[in-house]
Amino acid sequence: MVSKMNVHQFDVVVVGAGGAGLMAGLYASRGAKTAVISKLYPTRSHTGAAQGGISAALGNYEEDKPEWHTYDTVKGSDYLGDQDAIEFMTNEAIDAVLELEHMGLPFDRTPEGKISQRPFGGHTNNETGKPVRRAAHAADRTGHMILQTLYQQCLKNKVNFFDEYQVLDFLIVDGKAAGVVAVELATGELHTFHAKAVIFATGGHGRIFEVTSNAYAYTGDGAAILLRKGLPLEDMEFFQFHPTGIYKLGILITEAVRGEGGVLINGKGERFMPKYAPSVKDLASRDVVSRAIYTEIRAGNGANGKNYVYLDVRPESVNKYAALDGRTNPDGTPYTITGEQVLAKLPDIIDFCRVYLGVDPVTQMMPIQPTAHYTMGGIPTNKFGEVVIDDKNTAFPGLFAAGECACVSVHGGNRLGTNSLLDLVVFGKHAGLKAAEYANKADFQKLPDDAESGARSQFDAIRSASGKENAFDISTEMKKVMFDDVGIYRNEKGMTEALEKVRSLKERFKHVRVTDTGKVFNTELLNTWELGNMLDVAEVVASCALNREESRGGHSREDYPERDDQNWLKHTLVWKKDGKVSIGYKPVVITKYQPKKRVY
Amino acid sequence: MEVTLKIFRYNPEVDKKWHYETYNLDVDEKERILDLLELVKGHHDGTLSFRRSCAHGVCGSDAMRINGRNHLACKTLVRDVGDKITVEPLLGLKVVKDLIVDMEPFFDNYKKVLPYFINESPLPADGKERLQSPEQRARFDETTKCILCAACTTSCPSFWGSDDYLGPAALVTAHRFIFDSRDEAAAQRMQIISETSGLARCHTAFNCTMACPREIQITKAIGELKMATITGKVS
C-alpha cells in the first residue's frame, strides 16, 4: 500500500541535480512549485568534474561571433547536429555565460577585469581558420564552479531538494506525465512524486565502458527508465572518447592543456598531430585526435610499445612548438609560458598527475590514452527541452529532458569541448521555463492506484533472482567488451560479438545475487539496479552502432571508413519493443551549412 | 602486493554495536583505497556500504578516516598508506551504516553562512560582466576549491566537542564570498561567523589544513576572517 506520508505533490519535478537539473530547478521554481530529486548530494554531481571551460563568443581577447561558434559546432558534429538548435544555443551562449557571472561564478579575468577565455579544440576564427579564445574558464575547475554556483543560487531561491533519492520509475497516465517514484536511500522507503511536469537531467552512461572519465553515478538511469517505458532514444551509437585520459585510470586531462600550448608526443618522441590536422594540429576536435592516437599506437608508435602516448605541457616544449607554429598573444607578441603559469592555469591537472601517476607535468610528460567521456545521444528533445517521441518530433505531454541525458541534437556525431557546459546551462534553463509554463496550464493526472508497483517490481525482480551470478563480474565483462569492440574503432564482427555478449550478460543478470536484505543505504541493491540500466543502454548502443554503416564523428567503422551522406545523414531513433531492439530514423535539420568534407 | 584491509562495520538493522572486519587482498600499490573498497564489496561482502561518485577527488563523496586521518578514498593510493590499512567513518557525524555518516548537520552549517553570491545592485548598463581585476579574483581563489567533503570539519577537535560550531568548511565558504570584491553581504556574513558558534571556536589546531584533499590553507583563511573581525576590513 502507498503510505500517504510518502506521496509528494509538485507542479514540476526535476530528476538529477547536476548543471542541467539545477538550472532547470532554478528556472522552473520561479513559475511553479518545483522539487529537485537527486541520487547524490547535488554538489557531488558529475558537472563538477568538467574542467576546461564553457564556450561563448564573448570576444574578450579577440574578434569572435556566434555565427563562427555555430559553424564550428555544426562541423564538429560532422553535420549530424540540428542546425536550428545549434544556432539557438550559440546565440544564447553569451547571455548564458554572463548570467553565470552575475550569479557570482568566479571566472578567471583578463587584465581589464573581463571574463578570461582560452582556445579549445575545434573552436576557430572562421576567416583565418586559427584557434580562437572562446572558452570562458575558472582555472581547470570550470564545471566545479558552475555546479557550486547553481546549487548556491538554488539555495538562495529556496528550491526544494530531495537529496539521496534514486528515481526508479516514471509514471504515465493517459499518455501524459504523472510523476516519478523514487527510493529514499537512507530508509529504503519508496516515495511517489505526483507532478504535472517531469524533467529528466540524469546525465550520461560512460560507465558502460572500461576506461572512462565518468563518475560511478553515470549509469544511464534516465535513458534506461524511459526506454523501458517504451519511449525512444536518439543517436545512441554516438559516444565521445576524449583523447587525453590518464593511462589506465581514464581520469580526464582537460583539452585546456592543449589550449595552453600542450602537444601530443608519440613513443618516438614525435609530435604527430600535424600529420592528421595540418591547420589546428593538437586542437583538432576530439574524435579526430582520439583516432590519431589510436592510429599511432596501431602503427607501433605507442610509448614503450604500449597503448598510450604522451601529453607534453613542459614549458620548454610548449614554447618550442608555439614558436614553430607562430602562435602569438592577443597583443601580437610571441606566445610563451612558464612553469608557474602552467601551475596557475592547470592546478587540478598537476594535482591529478602527481597523485595518480607520480608525474609532475611541469617537468615530465603525462602518459595518456583516449577515455570514454561523453554521451552525444540520449533522450530526444527539441530546443525547449520537450521530449519528442517520433520522426515528426511529436512532444510527449509533460515530459522534458536536458543536459547530457538529452539529445537535442546540438552535438550530433561529435561534441566540441566546452559545448557540454553550455548545453546544460542553455537547455536546462529552457526546459525549466517550458516545464513551468506547461504545468501552469495542465492539470495533475490522477495517480494510479498502486503508483509504486513499477518501482517495487524492479527491486523485487533483483531480490528474488536465483543468486548464481555476481554483479561485479557481469559489470566488468560488459565494460571490457564495450570498450574493446564498441569503442573508438568499430567493425561488424566485433560489434556482433559484443552485442551477443551483452545479451548473454543480460540473461546472466536475471540470476544476479544481492546479499544485502536491509533497507538502510542498501547500496548493493541500488548498484545492481544501476547495472541493469547499463546493460539496457549498452544493448542499444551496440545495436545502433552495428546498424549505422558509415563513419561519422565519434562513430568510426573500419568496414565503412567514409561518411555516407547519401544514406546516413539522419538521426537514429531506437526503441525496445517486446524485448526487441527496433530502429527508426528522423531527418537532420540543415539550415545554413550544407555538409562538406571535414578537415582540421 | 598483499595488504590487510580492516574496515569499520555497522549495520543499524542488524548490529547492536559496531565492529571491524579484516580482509586480506592482493592489490597493486597504485590502486586507490576506493578500488579496494569496491573489490571487497564486489567479491567479499556486498553489504559493505560507502558513498562514492567521481573517483578522482573532485566530488567529495568518499571522505573517510584512513589509518586515523581524514582522506578521500579515491585520492589515496595503497602506496601512500602501506600494507596495513584501516578504514573508518568520519568522526563527529553520526554513523548511519558502515562508512556512511549523516551529512545533514554538515550541510546545515554550510547553509548558515549565506552560501551564495549576494549583489542586489543594478547590473552593468551594458549587460556585461561585473568587472573584477585578476588580483581581486586571486584574493579568494583558494577557498573556491572547496568540494564540501567534510574532511576538514570532521578532523576538528572543536567540532567534535561542540554541538553548534559551524566548523572549518562553513568558514571556508564564508571566506569565499566575504573576500569576493563583487559580493555585498560581507558584513552580514561577518556577523554570523562572529557569533559564539563561529570563529571563536577555532583554536588553530591545523587539523583542517592537514585534512583538506584540495590543499586549501584553511587555517590561514580562518585567520584572515579573524583578522577582519578586528580590523573591520575585508580587502
Side-chain angles (χ1 to χ4, degrees):
Chain A
M1 289 301 293
V2 182
S3 143
K4 276 197 175 149
M5 286 284 289
N6 289 353
V7 178
H8 314 263
Q9 198 175 63
F10 291 93
D11 295 325
V12 179
V13 162
V14 183
V15 185
L22 293 174
M23 199 72 183
L26 195 55
Y27 270 89
S29 66
R30 290 177 185 173
K33 189 183 170 197
T34 301
V36 179
I37 308 172
S38 172
K39 67 175 174 179
L40 305 169
Y41 277 101
T43 59
R44 314 298 188 217
S45 304
H46 198 53
T47 297
Q51 297 169 356
I54 173 167
S55 50
L58 299 168
N60 281 355
Y61 280 118
E62 56 191 332
E63 188 189 7
D64 196 6
K65 34 187 147 180
E67 299 91 281
W68 293 353
H69 190 181
T70 303
Y71 172 71
D72 289 340
T73 304
V74 170
K75 179 182 172 185
S77 80
D78 219 348
Y79 297 91
L80 190 69
D82 289 321
Q83 295 182 12
D84 57 339
I86 292 171
E87 192 167 356
F88 178 78
M89 178 178 79
T90 56
N91 280 329
E92 295 250 318
I94 293 173
D95 284 345
V97 169
L98 291 173
E99 184 183 16
L100 291 173
E101 197 284 330
H102 298 156
M103 289 177 180
L105 197 141
F107 284 111
D108 294 338
R109 298 290 167 157
T110 69
E112 310 87 75
K114 295 194 279 191
I115 295 169
S116 182
Q117 296 181 277
R118 58 165 53 118
F120 240 78
H123 293 279
T124 65
N125 174 316
N126 285 185
E127 284 161 15
T128 64
K130 296 289 181 199
V132 69
R133 292 170 178 82
R134 187 178 290 151
H137 56 88
D140 52 356
R141 54 177 185 283
T142 314
H144 165 78
M145 296 317 328
I146 289 177
L147 184 66
Q148 295 261 331
T149 300
L150 292 178
Y151 180 58
Q152 291 160 351
Q153 289 299 310
C154 283
L155 291 179
K156 186 181 180 188
N157 288 284
K158 303 195 178 354
V159 174
N160 300 294
F161 282 99
F162 291 83
D163 298 335
E164 298 193 315
Y165 281 65
Q166 171 72 61
V167 167
L168 301 170
D169 195 19
F170 169 57
L171 301 174
I172 302 172
V173 174
D174 294 337
K176 294 179 180 172
V180 296
V181 179
V183 58
E184 180 182 14
L185 274 51
T187 63
E189 297 287 334
L190 293 179
H191 289 249
T192 300
F193 292 84
H194 190 196
K196 295 177 186 172
V198 173
I199 304 174
F200 274 69
T202 51
H205 52 252
R207 279 272 156 185
I208 66 173
F209 297 102
E210 183 181 20
V211 177
T212 179
S213 64
N214 283 186
Y216 274 101
Y218 258 33
T219 52
D221 303 346
I225 288 170
L226 295 185
L227 192 66
R228 289 194 288 264
K229 285 288 171 182
L231 300 184
L233 300 175
E234 180 176 348
D235 291 342
M236 290 297 278
E237 61 272 40
F238 291 98
F239 197 90
Q240 178 166 82
F241 293 83
H242 191 291
T244 58
I246 289 181
Y247 178 48
K248 284 187 179 171
L249 289 171
I251 296 168
L252 183 67
I253 301 291
T254 173
E255 200 167 305
V257 171
R258 285 170 284 138
E260 301 294 352
V263 292
L264 291 161
I265 303 288
N266 67 19
K268 291 178 173 169
E270 298 162 344
R271 182 194 190 192
F272 56 86
M273 278 312 297
K275 272 190 285 180
Y276 303 90
S279 180
V280 294
K281 305 181 180 79
D282 297 85
L283 284 174
S285 71
R286 291 176 177 173
D287 57 333
V288 174
V289 181
S290 286
R291 276 194 295 275
I293 292 171
Y294 257 54
T295 306
E296 288 293 311
I297 290 169
R298 287 177 167 195
N301 295 336
N304 298 313
K306 299 204 171 123
N307 58 338
Y308 68 94
V309 296
Y310 294 111
L311 178 58
D312 187 355
V313 74
R314 295 175 299 177
E316 61 271 28
S317 304
V318 170
N319 295 340
K320 178 177 122 186
Y321 290 110
L324 283 172
D325 292 350
R327 181 170 175 183
T328 55
N329 293 312
D331 65 4
T333 57
Y335 180 86
T336 59
I337 199 165
T338 64
E340 290 73 36
Q341 287 168 326
V342 172
L343 205 54
K345 288 167 188 276
L346 304 165
D348 282 2
I349 295 307
I350 308 286
D351 185 37
F352 297 154
C353 289
R354 286 175 179 165
V355 170
Y356 298 108
L357 294 165
V359 161
D360 180 355
V362 178
T363 58
Q364 294 165 285
M365 297 192 290
M366 298 167 254
I368 58 95
Q369 73 177 129
T371 182
H373 184 57
Y374 186 84
T375 302
M376 264 90 66
I379 304 161
T381 72
N382 59 26
K383 65 189 178 193
F384 303 113
E386 294 170 304
V387 172
V388 292
I389 54 169
D390 58 26
D391 59 348
K392 302 194 178 52
N393 288 316
T394 308
F396 187 101
L399 180 60
F400 302 79
E404 191 170 344
C405 73
C407 181
V408 184
S409 154
V410 286
H411 309 305
N414 171 68
R415 173 175 71 77
L416 291 190
T418 70
N419 270 352
S420 59
L421 290 176
L422 179 61
D423 169 349
L424 56 82
V425 175
V426 168
F427 295 108
K429 170 181 167 177
H430 284 282
L433 287 171
K434 204 73 181 173
E437 182 189 314
Y438 173 89
N440 286 328
K441 289 181 196 153
D443 293 321
F444 282 99
Q445 298 298 102
K446 187 176 178 296
L447 277 183
D449 287 342
D450 188 1
E452 294 175 356
S453 66
R456 201 182 309 115
S457 66
Q458 293 183 61
F459 273 180
D460 287 347
I462 296 171
R463 280 187 161 131
S464 63
S466 65
K468 289 185 295 193
E469 294 286 348
N470 179 293
F472 192 82
D473 293 339
I474 294 174
S475 175
T476 305
E477 289 177 44
M478 170 195 67
K479 289 166 201 273
K480 180 160 175 36
V481 75
M482 289 300 291
F483 193 73
D484 290 348
D485 291 330
V486 198
I488 292 177
Y489 278 111
R490 302 166 168 183
N491 60 55
E492 183 177 346
K493 180 171 176 292
M495 286 191 290
T496 304
E497 287 167 11
L499 189 54
E500 279 169 23
K501 175 77 181 180
V502 169
R503 286 183 171 144
S504 78
L505 292 171
K506 281 170 71 84
E507 280 304 308
R508 284 169 57 190
F509 182 75
K510 291 178 183 165
H511 304 284
V512 75
R513 174 171 66 246
V514 172
T515 54
D516 194 336
T517 55
K519 292 174 77 78
V520 177
F521 277 101
N522 189 335
T523 53
E524 187 183 27
L525 179 64
L526 288 160
N527 295 350
T528 305
W529 178 80
E530 288 172 330
L531 173 60
N533 294 340
M534 287 194 284
L535 288 165
D536 285 351
V537 169
E539 184 189 23
V540 295
V541 169
S543 301
C544 295
L546 182 59
N547 181 64
R548 183 176 282 269
E549 296 180 338
E550 66 156 353
S551 289
R552 183 186 298 272
H555 175 67
S556 304
R557 292 281 301 248
E558 293 167 303
D559 40 0
Y560 299 94
E562 299 300 322
R563 193 176 82 198
D564 177 1
D565 290 335
Q566 194 75 33
N567 294 303
W568 289 102
L569 186 58
K570 57 189 178 187
H571 297 292
T572 303
L573 292 177
V574 62
W575 291 260
K576 279 297 286 281
K577 287 178 181 162
D578 306 321
K580 287 206 164 50
V581 173
S582 158
I583 290 177
Y585 304 96
K586 78 174 179 183
V588 175
V589 179
I590 294 170
T591 54
K592 293 181 180 163
Y593 306 103
Q594 289 305 314
K596 60 181 180 188
K597 192 167 166 60
R598 187 162 160 257
V599 182
Y600 282 100
Chain B
M1 62 188 276
E2 294 278 330
V3 301
T4 308
L5 178 62
K6 190 169 135 186
I7 305 177
F8 177 101
R9 300 301 305 270
Y10 172 68
N11 181 342
E13 297 171 270
V14 179
D15 302 327
K16 287 207 173 71
K17 190 171 176 289
W18 50 267
H19 64 285
Y20 288 89
E21 276 178 31
T22 302
Y23 305 88
N24 295 310
L25 306 172
D26 184 19
V27 299
D28 190 283
E29 62 159 21
K30 288 185 200 150
E31 286 191 82
R32 297 164 277 206
I33 304 307
L34 178 61
D35 298 323
L36 273 52
L37 295 174
E38 287 288 331
L39 186 65
V40 169
K41 186 176 180 63
H43 274 158
H44 299 268
D45 184 353
T47 68
L48 176 65
S49 290
F50 47 91
R51 293 189 179 99
R52 86 285 196 257
S53 192
C54 79
H56 66 287
V58 297
C59 82
S61 295
D62 63 351
M64 54 187 71
R65 269 185 302 153
I66 299 170
N67 287 356
R69 283 182 174 249
N70 285 359
H71 294 279
L72 298 178
C74 63
K75 216 180 166 187
T76 306
L77 308 191
V78 172
R79 68 179 173 209
D80 300 332
V81 291
D83 60 358
K84 298 221 173 352
I85 306 163
T86 303
V87 178
E88 299 161 297
L90 296 172
L91 286 175
L93 295 171
K94 184 172 164 279
V95 176
V96 181
K97 182 183 180 187
D98 295 338
L99 301 169
I100 295 175
V101 295
D102 179 8
M103 292 294 288
E104 289 300 316
F106 174 81
F107 280 105
D108 287 345
N109 283 340
Y110 170 74
K111 289 168 191 167
K112 283 177 190 159
V113 299
L114 311 179
Y116 36 79
F117 184 74
I118 298 175
N119 181 330
E120 307 302 342
S121 301
L123 292 169
D126 60 5
K128 293 196 173 166
E129 62 266 59
R130 294 188 174 94
L131 297 180
Q132 182 171 54
S133 72
E135 294 72 29
Q136 289 171 324
R137 169 65 181 77
R139 184 66 191 82
F140 64 105
D141 184 64
E142 185 92 349
T143 44
T144 65
K145 294 179 183 170
C146 176
I147 55 174
L148 298 169
C149 69
C152 60
T153 295
T154 61
S155 73
C156 173
S158 298
F159 180 77
W160 300 335
S162 152
D163 286 336
D164 63 351
Y165 176 37
L166 290 170
L171 295 173
V172 163
T173 300
H175 182 283
R176 176 256 172 273
F177 290 105
I178 286 169
F179 287 92
D180 185 336
S181 59
R182 304 165 300 167
D183 187 88
E184 292 177 337
Q188 279 170 268
R189 291 194 191 88
M190 288 303 296
Q191 193 170 354
I192 292 166
I193 64 175
S194 299
E195 287 170 12
T196 53
S197 58
L199 291 170
R201 297 282 175 89
C202 168
H203 302 304
T204 54
F206 278 93
N207 285 17
C208 53
T209 302
M210 298 289 288
C212 179
R214 302 284 289 154
E215 296 177 3
I216 300 171
Q217 301 296 308
I218 301 174
T219 313
K220 179 165 170 265
I222 295 175
E224 289 172 357
L225 292 169
K226 287 178 179 172
M227 189 62 80
T229 61
I230 297 165
T231 62
K233 287 185 190 158
V234 294
S235 56

